[in-house]
Amino acid sequence: MESQTPAYFPGTGHWYELIPSTTCWTQARDSATARGGYLSTVLSGAENDFIVAEVLPSDFIAWLGGYEPNNDGDWLWYTGEVWSYTNWQPGEPNNATGPENRLQIVTQPGWEGRWNDGVDCHPVMGFVVEYDCLSSTVFGPALQFDGVDDYVEVPHSAALNPSPQLTVEARIVLDSLPERNGYVIVSKWRSSWNPNGSYHFWVAGSTHPDSLKLVFHTESGYCFSGKTLSPCRTYHVAASADGSNIRLYIDGVLDGTVAAGPAPMNSDRVLLIGRNSHGLIDPLLSDHFPGRIDEVRISNIARDPSEFCMTGECTPDGSTIGLWHFDEASGDVAVDATGAHNGAIYGASRVDNCFCCNSPCHGDPVCDSVTNVQDVVETINVAFRGSPPMCDVGCPASRTDVNCDGVSTIQDVVKMVNVAFRGADPATEFCAPCLTSPPLPRECP
């Protein structure tokens, strides 16, 4: 049996891949890391059902990322996520062959996706790798906005004022929690404070009662999401208006609806991505977005999730009136894939589209929560004596490779010394590789 194409689950925004193999759990864990992912964690019944239905064949046994480090009944996800949901087969875990402290998911007759405990090298048929993000070949580069003065400006066009139907969608990741009014994804306002004829897609901030919620605003109404957004995680977000309702979707799942009649769209301002059109009147209300934005598409119909760009780059169709991939190799032009509405990039930088956040363990190869002499020694051992890193679990790049050039060398030792002994700022000395999110634990399984 060959590996399958990773399957996307909107409920988590992650991808899942089955790797057929009879390897031990520890080797499966390390192999998942080398692939840029981790042995899958299963945090809900919906996620478990998805893996059973879309990833695993029938009559199969596969490793998941759960383990029992002290053989005391206290099971954990090795990535540090909270162990809350379980789906044990009745009578399990039972330590039938001794200390069985590694987690399996089983689709054999009578098990139907329930869990079993097994020893590290208990016979299995494969393991499930979960990816927070895939390589840049899936979505291409993205734009990184600094939250201070970066944005994209698209010249005004009446074609960008669709009515009575409209859909705005994008892929985003927030680098930090919203402050003030909020952070703007897409804004098409009017030249006065009156919002009539405009639309505004944003993440509400601390001055709103629904802080950290996705919001879409037209003249006919506001719609807030029910879900609270978090930094350091990828979201596909979409807002649609069909002339009767405004709907919000997060990762393809309906997450907010409000009755709202047809809204005349007669904005006379430029369309802005990553900042608020209000800022053209009052800079204090610019609400610059801190994080990454990609695959912004505006349509003149009310799309449903089957039409969203969930697993690859969007392609323009007859209802697409603006589509920005942000995948140009260089320059300050954001090309509209429809050919009609190219924009100008102000400050935002192109980055690889791996929507992940840095791990706090980077630069801490001995996993004691601080960069010190032990970390310098460990880096020397890895760079010059061929020692394997002590605590590399879950990270695609070694924690001793602090400049992210793919190898551990004297340059990494120098940077580690600067931080450990010379008071240098790790944020300056160490790179920010694309690691799994949420941040991984310091402890080694």
Side-chain angles (χ1 to χ4, degrees), residues 98-124:
E100 296 181 331
N101 51 19
R102 300 293 188 265
L103 182 61
Q104 301 170 345
I105 185 169
V106 184
T107 61
Q108 292 176 334
W111 287 73
E112 286 78 40
R114 287 188 286 270
W115 298 354
N116 178 53
D117 57 338
V119 298
D120 191 16
C121 290
H122 191 282
V124 295

Side-chain angles (χ1 to χ4, degrees), residues 376-389 398 400 407-413:
V376 174
V377 172
E378 175 66 10
T379 304
I380 291 172
N381 288 338
V382 172
F384 300 109
R385 298 171 183 168
S387 299
S398 169
T400 60
V407 292
S408 297
T409 64
I410 185 61
Q411 286 84 4
D412 301 297
V413 175

Side-chain angles (χ1 to χ4, degrees), residues 60-125:
F60 202 85
I61 305 174
W63 292 124
L64 296 176
Y67 78 120
E68 184 189 18
N70 300 314
N71 300 312
D72 58 0
D74 186 15
W75 284 78
L76 305 172
W77 298 113
Y78 82 98
T79 55
E81 293 171 279
V82 176
W83 181 276
S84 55
Y85 168 80
T86 62
N87 193 40
W88 295 108
Q89 173 80 345
E92 302 291 344
N94 61 6
N95 293 309
T97 61
E100 296 181 331
N101 51 19
R102 300 293 188 265
L103 182 61
Q104 301 170 345
I105 185 169
V106 184
T107 61
Q108 292 176 334
W111 287 73
E112 286 78 40
R114 287 188 286 270
W115 298 354
N116 178 53
D117 57 338
V119 298
D120 191 16
C121 290
H122 191 282
V124 295
M125 302 172 182

Side-chain angles (χ1 to χ4, degrees), residues 192 332 423 442:
S192 69
D332 58 3
R442 302 278 188 175

